[in-house]
Amino acid sequence: MGKHTSRRTTRLMLYRHGETVDNVRKVIQGQSQGQLTEKGIEQAREIAEQLKDEHIDAFIASDLNRSIDTCVIIAAPHGAAVVTTHLLREREWGDFTGLYIPDLKDKPFPDNVESIGTLKHRARLFIAWVRKQYPGMTVVAVGHGIINKAIQAVHYDKEMRDIPPMLNGEMRLLEL
């Protein structure tokens, strides 16, 4: 994949992995691997079909299986390899990992939940890494709901709460 530097900005096609078993069960996955459902696989196939004729220079995924599996499906029509990075990992939910989300309403966060500050720092590192590695290129990056929100918050200089949640299988374009 050659470097196309005619464009000044890097086009980041930020995607949230397809639906997983734990998304359906309303369980916090955090940094556990996760497994795509049939619907999640279909979501990835749909975006792969939409992007098959687009020029894409790189495909990046979180190093968690639910993102890797999604990204591999999206990259397949391009015959491209998937690069993984821990910077795209979902928020570390500590002791909340594996728990039923509705049961956690109004519960105080355990001390081992990754802070918003740390999450946004990781998002800044990811953006800087993409700009450096893929200047002026088009990149598909498959991440997770909260880290994708942090990337957008950093990019647009907004608070996390001001970024609408991304659904499974949703893509947003950022010009870096």
Side-chain angles (χ1 to χ4, degrees), residues 3 5 7-12 60 87 123-137 139 151 154-157 174-176:
K3 295 192 183 239
T5 55
R7 235 187 345 259
R8 283 195 161 127
T9 60
T10 298
R11 292 178 69 224
L12 178 64
I60 304 168
L87 295 173
R124 279 187 206 89
L125 291 175
F126 174 74
I127 290 170
W129 177 74
V130 169
R131 283 183 174 140
K132 181 178 178 184
Q133 292 296 117
Y134 307 100
M137 296 185 194
V139 176
I151 290 165
V154 167
H155 176 69
Y156 295 116
D157 193 27
L174 281 67
E175 300 278 343
L176 304 181

PDB file of all heavy atoms in Angstrom, residues 3 5 7-12 60 87 123-137 139 151 154-157 174-176:
ATOM      1  N   LYS A   3       2.133   5.219  -0.283  1.00  0.00           N
ATOM      2  CA  LYS A   3       1.770   6.435   0.422  1.00  0.00           C
ATOM      3  C   LYS A   3       1.232   7.442  -0.584  1.00  0.00           C
ATOM      4  O   LYS A   3       1.890   7.774  -1.548  1.00  0.00           O
ATOM      5  CB  LYS A   3       2.977   7.001   1.160  1.00  0.00           C
ATOM      6  CG  LYS A   3       3.456   6.089   2.247  1.00  0.00           C
ATOM      7  CD  LYS A   3       4.454   6.781   3.137  1.00  0.00           C
ATOM      8  CE  LYS A   3       4.952   5.799   4.152  1.00  0.00           C
ATOM      9  NZ  LYS A   3       4.713   6.171   5.497  1.00  0.00           N
ATOM     10  N   THR A   5       0.333  11.071  -0.569  1.00  0.00           N
ATOM     11  CA  THR A   5       0.444  12.269   0.262  1.00  0.00           C
ATOM     12  C   THR A   5      -0.045  13.524  -0.450  1.00  0.00           C
ATOM     13  O   THR A   5       0.283  14.616  -0.059  1.00  0.00           O
ATOM     14  CB  THR A   5       1.898  12.452   0.741  1.00  0.00           C
ATOM     15  OG1 THR A   5       2.751  12.456  -0.412  1.00  0.00           O
ATOM     16  CG2 THR A   5       2.315  11.359   1.693  1.00  0.00           C
ATOM     17  N   ARG A   7      -2.980  14.575  -0.403  1.00  0.00           N
ATOM     18  CA  ARG A   7      -3.912  15.181   0.544  1.00  0.00           C
ATOM     19  C   ARG A   7      -3.155  15.545   1.813  1.00  0.00           C
ATOM     20  O   ARG A   7      -2.323  14.788   2.274  1.00  0.00           O
ATOM     21  CB  ARG A   7      -5.003  14.154   0.910  1.00  0.00           C
ATOM     22  CG  ARG A   7      -6.376  14.654   0.681  1.00  0.00           C
ATOM     23  CD  ARG A   7      -7.446  13.710   1.208  1.00  0.00           C
ATOM     24  NE  ARG A   7      -7.039  12.381   1.524  1.00  0.00           N
ATOM     25  CZ  ARG A   7      -7.233  11.304   0.756  1.00  0.00           C
ATOM     26  NH1 ARG A   7      -7.821  11.390  -0.354  1.00  0.00           N
ATOM     27  NH2 ARG A   7      -6.846  10.124   1.114  1.00  0.00           N
ATOM     28  N   ARG A   8      -3.470  16.678   2.358  1.00  0.00           N
ATOM     29  CA  ARG A   8      -2.807  17.092   3.590  1.00  0.00           C
ATOM     30  C   ARG A   8      -3.328  16.332   4.802  1.00  0.00           C
ATOM     31  O   ARG A   8      -2.596  16.028   5.713  1.00  0.00           O
ATOM     32  CB  ARG A   8      -3.019  18.577   3.824  1.00  0.00           C
ATOM     33  CG  ARG A   8      -2.168  19.437   2.970  1.00  0.00           C
ATOM     34  CD  ARG A   8      -2.203  20.826   3.557  1.00  0.00           C
ATOM     35  NE  ARG A   8      -1.091  21.563   3.052  1.00  0.00           N
ATOM     36  CZ  ARG A   8      -1.185  22.732   2.473  1.00  0.00           C
ATOM     37  NH1 ARG A   8      -2.350  23.323   2.361  1.00  0.00           N
ATOM     38  NH2 ARG A   8      -0.121  23.346   2.033  1.00  0.00           N
ATOM     39  N   THR A   9      -4.618  16.093   4.815  1.00  0.00           N
ATOM     40  CA  THR A   9      -5.210  15.469   5.986  1.00  0.00           C
ATOM     41  C   THR A   9      -5.310  13.960   5.800  1.00  0.00           C
ATOM     42  O   THR A   9      -5.380  13.452   4.686  1.00  0.00           O
ATOM     43  CB  THR A   9      -6.623  16.020   6.261  1.00  0.00           C
ATOM     44  OG1 THR A   9      -7.450  15.759   5.133  1.00  0.00           O
ATOM     45  CG2 THR A   9      -6.594  17.509   6.539  1.00  0.00           C
ATOM     46  N   THR A  10      -5.320  13.294   6.918  1.00  0.00           N
ATOM     47  CA  THR A  10      -5.568  11.857   6.926  1.00  0.00           C
ATOM     48  C   THR A  10      -7.055  11.664   7.152  1.00  0.00           C
ATOM     49  O   THR A  10      -7.631  12.278   8.048  1.00  0.00           O
ATOM     50  CB  THR A  10      -4.753  11.183   8.053  1.00  0.00           C
ATOM     51  OG1 THR A  10      -3.364  11.391   7.777  1.00  0.00           O
ATOM     52  CG2 THR A  10      -5.050   9.705   8.143  1.00  0.00           C
ATOM     53  N   ARG A  11      -7.662  10.834   6.326  1.00  0.00           N
ATOM     54  CA  ARG A  11      -9.085  10.505   6.483  1.00  0.00           C
ATOM     55  C   ARG A  11      -9.171   9.279   7.382  1.00  0.00           C
ATOM     56  O   ARG A  11      -8.696   8.215   7.007  1.00  0.00           O
ATOM     57  CB  ARG A  11      -9.735  10.209   5.134  1.00  0.00           C
ATOM     58  CG  ARG A  11      -9.837  11.418   4.248  1.00  0.00           C
ATOM     59  CD  ARG A  11     -10.457  11.068   2.894  1.00  0.00           C
ATOM     60  NE  ARG A  11     -11.852  10.737   3.078  1.00  0.00           N
ATOM     61  CZ  ARG A  11     -12.467   9.694   2.491  1.00  0.00           C
ATOM     62  NH1 ARG A  11     -11.823   8.884   1.690  1.00  0.00           N
ATOM     63  NH2 ARG A  11     -13.751   9.468   2.701  1.00  0.00           N
ATOM     64  N   LEU A  12      -9.737   9.461   8.554  1.00  0.00           N
ATOM     65  CA  LEU A  12      -9.896   8.356   9.496  1.00  0.00           C
ATOM     66  C   LEU A  12     -11.357   7.934   9.491  1.00  0.00           C
ATOM     67  O   LEU A  12     -12.241   8.691   9.907  1.00  0.00           O
ATOM     68  CB  LEU A  12      -9.474   8.782  10.906  1.00  0.00           C
ATOM     69  CG  LEU A  12      -9.650   7.722  12.002  1.00  0.00           C
ATOM     70  CD1 LEU A  12      -8.760   6.507  11.741  1.00  0.00           C
ATOM     71  CD2 LEU A  12      -9.347   8.326  13.369  1.00  0.00           C
ATOM     72  N   ILE A  60      -6.875  -0.729  10.510  1.00  0.00           N
ATOM     73  CA  ILE A  60      -6.352  -0.820  11.877  1.00  0.00           C
ATOM     74  C   ILE A  60      -7.471  -1.300  12.789  1.00  0.00           C
ATOM     75  O   ILE A  60      -8.618  -0.897  12.634  1.00  0.00           O
ATOM     76  CB  ILE A  60      -5.860   0.560  12.373  1.00  0.00           C
ATOM     77  CG1 ILE A  60      -4.810   1.136  11.418  1.00  0.00           C
ATOM     78  CG2 ILE A  60      -5.297   0.465  13.789  1.00  0.00           C
ATOM     79  CD1 ILE A  60      -4.506   2.602  11.683  1.00  0.00           C
ATOM     80  N   LEU A  87      -3.813   0.891  21.553  1.00  0.00           N
ATOM     81  CA  LEU A  87      -4.337   2.245  21.747  1.00  0.00           C
ATOM     82  C   LEU A  87      -5.836   2.328  21.461  1.00  0.00           C
ATOM     83  O   LEU A  87      -6.526   3.194  21.989  1.00  0.00           O
ATOM     84  CB  LEU A  87      -3.584   3.248  20.862  1.00  0.00           C
ATOM     85  CG  LEU A  87      -2.097   3.436  21.183  1.00  0.00           C
ATOM     86  CD1 LEU A  87      -1.440   4.319  20.134  1.00  0.00           C
ATOM     87  CD2 LEU A  87      -1.898   3.982  22.591  1.00  0.00           C
ATOM     88  N   ALA A 123      -6.448   8.274  23.512  1.00  0.00           N
ATOM     89  CA  ALA A 123      -7.040   8.746  22.254  1.00  0.00           C
ATOM     90  C   ALA A 123      -6.098   9.723  21.546  1.00  0.00           C
ATOM     91  O   ALA A 123      -5.906   9.643  20.329  1.00  0.00           O
ATOM     92  CB  ALA A 123      -8.394   9.402  22.524  1.00  0.00           C
ATOM     93  N   ARG A 124      -5.474  10.626  22.306  1.00  0.00           N
ATOM     94  CA  ARG A 124      -4.503  11.574  21.723  1.00  0.00           C
ATOM     95  C   ARG A 124      -3.320  10.821  21.120  1.00  0.00           C
ATOM     96  O   ARG A 124      -2.852  11.158  20.031  1.00  0.00           O
ATOM     97  CB  ARG A 124      -4.000  12.555  22.785  1.00  0.00           C
ATOM     98  CG  ARG A 124      -4.916  13.695  23.054  1.00  0.00           C
ATOM     99  CD  ARG A 124      -4.290  14.738  24.009  1.00  0.00           C
ATOM    100  NE  ARG A 124      -5.360  15.421  24.693  1.00  0.00           N
ATOM    101  CZ  ARG A 124      -5.909  15.033  25.842  1.00  0.00           C
ATOM    102  NH1 ARG A 124      -5.463  13.966  26.478  1.00  0.00           N
ATOM    103  NH2 ARG A 124      -6.897  15.715  26.368  1.00  0.00           N
ATOM    104  N   LEU A 125      -2.830   9.822  21.844  1.00  0.00           N
ATOM    105  CA  LEU A 125      -1.717   9.019  21.326  1.00  0.00           C
ATOM    106  C   LEU A 125      -2.107   8.310  20.035  1.00  0.00           C
ATOM    107  O   LEU A 125      -1.312   8.234  19.088  1.00  0.00           O
ATOM    108  CB  LEU A 125      -1.263   7.994  22.372  1.00  0.00           C
ATOM    109  CG  LEU A 125      -0.574   8.540  23.613  1.00  0.00           C
ATOM    110  CD1 LEU A 125      -0.309   7.403  24.613  1.00  0.00           C
ATOM    111  CD2 LEU A 125       0.730   9.253  23.256  1.00  0.00           C
ATOM    112  N   PHE A 126      -3.338   7.783  19.979  1.00  0.00           N
ATOM    113  CA  PHE A 126      -3.799   7.104  18.779  1.00  0.00           C
ATOM    114  C   PHE A 126      -3.849   8.069  17.597  1.00  0.00           C
ATOM    115  O   PHE A 126      -3.348   7.767  16.510  1.00  0.00           O
ATOM    116  CB  PHE A 126      -5.179   6.467  18.999  1.00  0.00           C
ATOM    117  CG  PHE A 126      -5.745   5.879  17.739  1.00  0.00           C
ATOM    118  CD1 PHE A 126      -5.230   4.691  17.218  1.00  0.00           C
ATOM    119  CD2 PHE A 126      -6.757   6.524  17.049  1.00  0.00           C
ATOM    120  CE1 PHE A 126      -5.717   4.158  16.040  1.00  0.00           C
ATOM    121  CE2 PHE A 126      -7.257   6.005  15.868  1.00  0.00           C
ATOM    122  CZ  PHE A 126      -6.737   4.816  15.359  1.00  0.00           C
ATOM    123  N   ILE A 127      -4.441   9.240  17.798  1.00  0.00           N
ATOM    124  CA  ILE A 127      -4.529  10.227  16.719  1.00  0.00           C
ATOM    125  C   ILE A 127      -3.134  10.612  16.233  1.00  0.00           C
ATOM    126  O   ILE A 127      -2.882  10.666  15.018  1.00  0.00           O
ATOM    127  CB  ILE A 127      -5.333  11.464  17.171  1.00  0.00           C
ATOM    128  CG1 ILE A 127      -6.815  11.091  17.334  1.00  0.00           C
ATOM    129  CG2 ILE A 127      -5.161  12.631  16.195  1.00  0.00           C
ATOM    130  CD1 ILE A 127      -7.658  12.166  18.006  1.00  0.00           C
ATOM    131  N   ALA A 128      -2.214  10.880  17.149  1.00  0.00           N
ATOM    132  CA  ALA A 128      -0.847  11.251  16.773  1.00  0.00           C
ATOM    133  C   ALA A 128      -0.170  10.114  16.000  1.00  0.00           C
ATOM    134  O   ALA A 128       0.528  10.364  15.007  1.00  0.00           O
ATOM    135  CB  ALA A 128      -0.035  11.607  18.026  1.00  0.00           C
ATOM    136  N   TRP A 129      -0.379   8.878  16.435  1.00  0.00           N
ATOM    137  CA  TRP A 129       0.207   7.718  15.768  1.00  0.00           C
ATOM    138  C   TRP A 129      -0.332   7.584  14.342  1.00  0.00           C
ATOM    139  O   TRP A 129       0.436   7.361  13.398  1.00  0.00           O
ATOM    140  CB  TRP A 129      -0.077   6.455  16.587  1.00  0.00           C
ATOM    141  CG  TRP A 129       0.417   5.192  15.975  1.00  0.00           C
ATOM    142  CD1 TRP A 129       1.710   4.756  15.902  1.00  0.00           C
ATOM    143  CD2 TRP A 129      -0.390   4.185  15.337  1.00  0.00           C
ATOM    144  NE1 TRP A 129       1.754   3.539  15.264  1.00  0.00           N
ATOM    145  CE2 TRP A 129       0.484   3.172  14.909  1.00  0.00           C
ATOM    146  CE3 TRP A 129      -1.755   4.063  15.104  1.00  0.00           C
ATOM    147  CZ2 TRP A 129       0.031   2.038  14.249  1.00  0.00           C
ATOM    148  CZ3 TRP A 129      -2.207   2.933  14.447  1.00  0.00           C
ATOM    149  CH2 TRP A 129      -1.328   1.938  14.028  1.00  0.00           C
ATOM    150  N   VAL A 130      -1.648   7.737  14.168  1.00  0.00           N
ATOM    151  CA  VAL A 130      -2.250   7.641  12.831  1.00  0.00           C
ATOM    152  C   VAL A 130      -1.708   8.743  11.925  1.00  0.00           C
ATOM    153  O   VAL A 130      -1.340   8.484  10.773  1.00  0.00           O
ATOM    154  CB  VAL A 130      -3.797   7.680  12.903  1.00  0.00           C
ATOM    155  CG1 VAL A 130      -4.418   7.857  11.511  1.00  0.00           C
ATOM    156  CG2 VAL A 130      -4.333   6.418  13.561  1.00  0.00           C
ATOM    157  N   ARG A 131      -1.641   9.958  12.431  1.00  0.00           N
ATOM    158  CA  ARG A 131      -1.111  11.075  11.621  1.00  0.00           C
ATOM    159  C   ARG A 131       0.326  10.812  11.182  1.00  0.00           C
ATOM    160  O   ARG A 131       0.696  11.130  10.060  1.00  0.00           O
ATOM    161  CB  ARG A 131      -1.163  12.380  12.418  1.00  0.00           C
ATOM    162  CG  ARG A 131      -2.527  12.991  12.495  1.00  0.00           C
ATOM    163  CD  ARG A 131      -2.461  14.313  13.253  1.00  0.00           C
ATOM    164  NE  ARG A 131      -3.732  14.997  13.225  1.00  0.00           N
ATOM    165  CZ  ARG A 131      -4.240  15.638  14.258  1.00  0.00           C
ATOM    166  NH1 ARG A 131      -3.592  15.700  15.409  1.00  0.00           N
ATOM    167  NH2 ARG A 131      -5.402  16.237  14.148  1.00  0.00           N
ATOM    168  N   LYS A 132       1.112  10.257  12.091  1.00  0.00           N
ATOM    169  CA  LYS A 132       2.532  10.004  11.785  1.00  0.00           C
ATOM    170  C   LYS A 132       2.692   8.818  10.822  1.00  0.00           C
ATOM    171  O   LYS A 132       3.470   8.883   9.873  1.00  0.00           O
ATOM    172  CB  LYS A 132       3.298   9.738  13.078  1.00  0.00           C
ATOM    173  CG  LYS A 132       4.777   9.502  12.859  1.00  0.00           C
ATOM    174  CD  LYS A 132       5.514   9.287  14.151  1.00  0.00           C
ATOM    175  CE  LYS A 132       6.979   9.007  13.855  1.00  0.00           C
ATOM    176  NZ  LYS A 132       7.736   8.702  15.036  1.00  0.00           N
ATOM    177  N   GLN A 133       1.973   7.739  11.072  1.00  0.00           N
ATOM    178  CA  GLN A 133       2.123   6.519  10.272  1.00  0.00           C
ATOM    179  C   GLN A 133       1.437   6.611   8.907  1.00  0.00           C
ATOM    180  O   GLN A 133       1.877   5.958   7.963  1.00  0.00           O
ATOM    181  CB  GLN A 133       1.531   5.324  11.022  1.00  0.00           C
ATOM    182  CG  GLN A 133       2.289   4.914  12.256  1.00  0.00           C
ATOM    183  CD  GLN A 133       3.697   4.430  11.950  1.00  0.00           C
ATOM    184  OE1 GLN A 133       4.665   5.041  12.382  1.00  0.00           O
ATOM    185  NE2 GLN A 133       3.815   3.371  11.201  1.00  0.00           N
ATOM    186  N   TYR A 134       0.354   7.379   8.820  1.00  0.00           N
ATOM    187  CA  TYR A 134      -0.476   7.381   7.608  1.00  0.00           C
ATOM    188  C   TYR A 134      -0.802   8.807   7.158  1.00  0.00           C
ATOM    189  O   TYR A 134      -1.960   9.142   6.953  1.00  0.00           O
ATOM    190  CB  TYR A 134      -1.761   6.584   7.859  1.00  0.00           C
ATOM    191  CG  TYR A 134      -1.501   5.192   8.382  1.00  0.00           C
ATOM    192  CD1 TYR A 134      -1.619   4.903   9.739  1.00  0.00           C
ATOM    193  CD2 TYR A 134      -1.108   4.162   7.527  1.00  0.00           C
ATOM    194  CE1 TYR A 134      -1.356   3.627  10.228  1.00  0.00           C
ATOM    195  CE2 TYR A 134      -0.846   2.890   8.008  1.00  0.00           C
ATOM    196  CZ  TYR A 134      -0.971   2.630   9.358  1.00  0.00           C
ATOM    197  OH  TYR A 134      -0.704   1.373   9.836  1.00  0.00           O
ATOM    198  N   PRO A 135       0.230   9.663   6.962  1.00  0.00           N
ATOM    199  CA  PRO A 135      -0.048  11.055   6.592  1.00  0.00           C
ATOM    200  C   PRO A 135      -0.729  11.138   5.222  1.00  0.00           C
ATOM    201  O   PRO A 135      -0.293  10.513   4.261  1.00  0.00           O
ATOM    202  CB  PRO A 135       1.337  11.704   6.572  1.00  0.00           C
ATOM    203  CG  PRO A 135       2.280  10.568   6.293  1.00  0.00           C
ATOM    204  CD  PRO A 135       1.659   9.364   6.975  1.00  0.00           C
ATOM    205  N   GLY A 136      -1.839  11.888   5.179  1.00  0.00           N
ATOM    206  CA  GLY A 136      -2.532  12.095   3.915  1.00  0.00           C
ATOM    207  C   GLY A 136      -3.213  10.866   3.350  1.00  0.00           C
ATOM    208  O   GLY A 136      -3.615  10.857   2.194  1.00  0.00           O
ATOM    209  N   MET A 137      -3.357   9.827   4.139  1.00  0.00           N
ATOM    210  CA  MET A 137      -3.935   8.576   3.656  1.00  0.00           C
ATOM    211  C   MET A 137      -5.361   8.398   4.169  1.00  0.00           C
ATOM    212  O   MET A 137      -5.844   9.158   4.997  1.00  0.00           O
ATOM    213  CB  MET A 137      -3.071   7.400   4.108  1.00  0.00           C
ATOM    214  CG  MET A 137      -1.685   7.406   3.531  1.00  0.00           C
ATOM    215  SD  MET A 137      -0.832   5.905   4.025  1.00  0.00           S
ATOM    216  CE  MET A 137       0.838   6.326   3.603  1.00  0.00           C
ATOM    217  N   VAL A 139      -7.683   5.741   6.172  1.00  0.00           N
ATOM    218  CA  VAL A 139      -7.503   4.655   7.127  1.00  0.00           C
ATOM    219  C   VAL A 139      -8.856   4.254   7.704  1.00  0.00           C
ATOM    220  O   VAL A 139      -9.640   5.118   8.100  1.00  0.00           O
ATOM    221  CB  VAL A 139      -6.571   5.119   8.282  1.00  0.00           C
ATOM    222  CG1 VAL A 139      -6.440   4.051   9.349  1.00  0.00           C
ATOM    223  CG2 VAL A 139      -5.205   5.526   7.740  1.00  0.00           C
ATOM    224  N   ILE A 151     -11.806   9.413  21.135  1.00  0.00           N
ATOM    225  CA  ILE A 151     -11.075   9.894  19.955  1.00  0.00           C
ATOM    226  C   ILE A 151     -11.798  11.097  19.356  1.00  0.00           C
ATOM    227  O   ILE A 151     -11.178  12.115  19.023  1.00  0.00           O
ATOM    228  CB  ILE A 151     -10.902   8.756  18.921  1.00  0.00           C
ATOM    229  CG1 ILE A 151      -9.921   7.711  19.457  1.00  0.00           C
ATOM    230  CG2 ILE A 151     -10.453   9.305  17.563  1.00  0.00           C
ATOM    231  CD1 ILE A 151      -9.924   6.387  18.710  1.00  0.00           C
ATOM    232  N   VAL A 154     -11.500  14.214  21.707  1.00  0.00           N
ATOM    233  CA  VAL A 154     -10.185  14.839  21.572  1.00  0.00           C
ATOM    234  C   VAL A 154     -10.095  15.589  20.238  1.00  0.00           C
ATOM    235  O   VAL A 154      -9.679  16.750  20.189  1.00  0.00           O
ATOM    236  CB  VAL A 154      -9.062  13.775  21.689  1.00  0.00           C
ATOM    237  CG1 VAL A 154      -7.727  14.325  21.234  1.00  0.00           C
ATOM    238  CG2 VAL A 154      -8.982  13.256  23.123  1.00  0.00           C
ATOM    239  N   HIS A 155     -10.494  14.930  19.164  1.00  0.00           N
ATOM    240  CA  HIS A 155     -10.397  15.521  17.827  1.00  0.00           C
ATOM    241  C   HIS A 155     -11.205  16.820  17.721  1.00  0.00           C
ATOM    242  O   HIS A 155     -10.741  17.812  17.159  1.00  0.00           O
ATOM    243  CB  HIS A 155     -10.866  14.516  16.771  1.00  0.00           C
ATOM    244  CG  HIS A 155     -10.885  15.066  15.387  1.00  0.00           C
ATOM    245  ND1 HIS A 155      -9.727  15.372  14.693  1.00  0.00           N
ATOM    246  CD2 HIS A 155     -11.906  15.393  14.569  1.00  0.00           C
ATOM    247  CE1 HIS A 155     -10.048  15.852  13.505  1.00  0.00           C
ATOM    248  NE2 HIS A 155     -11.368  15.876  13.406  1.00  0.00           N
ATOM    249  N   TYR A 156     -12.421  16.813  18.239  1.00  0.00           N
ATOM    250  CA  TYR A 156     -13.302  17.981  18.141  1.00  0.00           C
ATOM    251  C   TYR A 156     -13.182  18.921  19.335  1.00  0.00           C
ATOM    252  O   TYR A 156     -13.904  19.916  19.407  1.00  0.00           O
ATOM    253  CB  TYR A 156     -14.757  17.527  17.975  1.00  0.00           C
ATOM    254  CG  TYR A 156     -15.009  16.801  16.674  1.00  0.00           C
ATOM    255  CD1 TYR A 156     -15.388  15.465  16.672  1.00  0.00           C
ATOM    256  CD2 TYR A 156     -14.847  17.446  15.446  1.00  0.00           C
ATOM    257  CE1 TYR A 156     -15.617  14.793  15.470  1.00  0.00           C
ATOM    258  CE2 TYR A 156     -15.066  16.781  14.254  1.00  0.00           C
ATOM    259  CZ  TYR A 156     -15.456  15.460  14.266  1.00  0.00           C
ATOM    260  OH  TYR A 156     -15.676  14.795  13.085  1.00  0.00           O
ATOM    261  N   ASP A 157     -12.297  18.591  20.285  1.00  0.00           N
ATOM    262  CA  ASP A 157     -12.097  19.377  21.503  1.00  0.00           C
ATOM    263  C   ASP A 157     -13.426  19.590  22.236  1.00  0.00           C
ATOM    264  O   ASP A 157     -13.839  20.711  22.538  1.00  0.00           O
ATOM    265  CB  ASP A 157     -11.424  20.718  21.191  1.00  0.00           C
ATOM    266  CG  ASP A 157     -10.917  21.401  22.457  1.00  0.00           C
ATOM    267  OD1 ASP A 157     -10.621  20.690  23.442  1.00  0.00           O
ATOM    268  OD2 ASP A 157     -10.826  22.651  22.464  1.00  0.00           O
ATOM    269  N   LEU A 174     -13.445  11.209  10.258  1.00  0.00           N
ATOM    270  CA  LEU A 174     -12.707  12.305  10.870  1.00  0.00           C
ATOM    271  C   LEU A 174     -11.588  12.702   9.929  1.00  0.00           C
ATOM    272  O   LEU A 174     -10.901  11.843   9.374  1.00  0.00           O
ATOM    273  CB  LEU A 174     -12.093  11.880  12.212  1.00  0.00           C
ATOM    274  CG  LEU A 174     -12.981  11.838  13.438  1.00  0.00           C
ATOM    275  CD1 LEU A 174     -14.021  10.750  13.329  1.00  0.00           C
ATOM    276  CD2 LEU A 174     -12.145  11.630  14.684  1.00  0.00           C
ATOM    277  N   GLU A 175     -11.428  13.982   9.727  1.00  0.00           N
ATOM    278  CA  GLU A 175     -10.315  14.514   8.932  1.00  0.00           C
ATOM    279  C   GLU A 175      -9.256  14.965   9.929  1.00  0.00           C
ATOM    280  O   GLU A 175      -9.451  15.941  10.644  1.00  0.00           O
ATOM    281  CB  GLU A 175     -10.777  15.684   8.060  1.00  0.00           C
ATOM    282  CG  GLU A 175     -11.881  15.333   7.074  1.00  0.00           C
ATOM    283  CD  GLU A 175     -11.379  14.685   5.791  1.00  0.00           C
ATOM    284  OE1 GLU A 175     -10.175  14.785   5.490  1.00  0.00           O
ATOM    285  OE2 GLU A 175     -12.197  14.073   5.090  1.00  0.00           O
ATOM    286  N   LEU A 176      -8.139  14.242   9.969  1.00  0.00           N
ATOM    287  CA  LEU A 176      -7.084  14.550  10.950  1.00  0.00           C
ATOM    288  C   LEU A 176      -6.044  15.499  10.344  1.00  0.00           C
ATOM    289  O   LEU A 176      -5.716  15.430   9.223  1.00  0.00           O
ATOM    290  CB  LEU A 176      -6.389  13.265  11.403  1.00  0.00           C
ATOM    291  CG  LEU A 176      -7.269  12.174  11.981  1.00  0.00           C
ATOM    292  CD1 LEU A 176      -6.406  10.994  12.408  1.00  0.00           C
ATOM    293  CD2 LEU A 176      -8.067  12.675  13.160  1.00  0.00           C
TER     294      LEU A 176
END
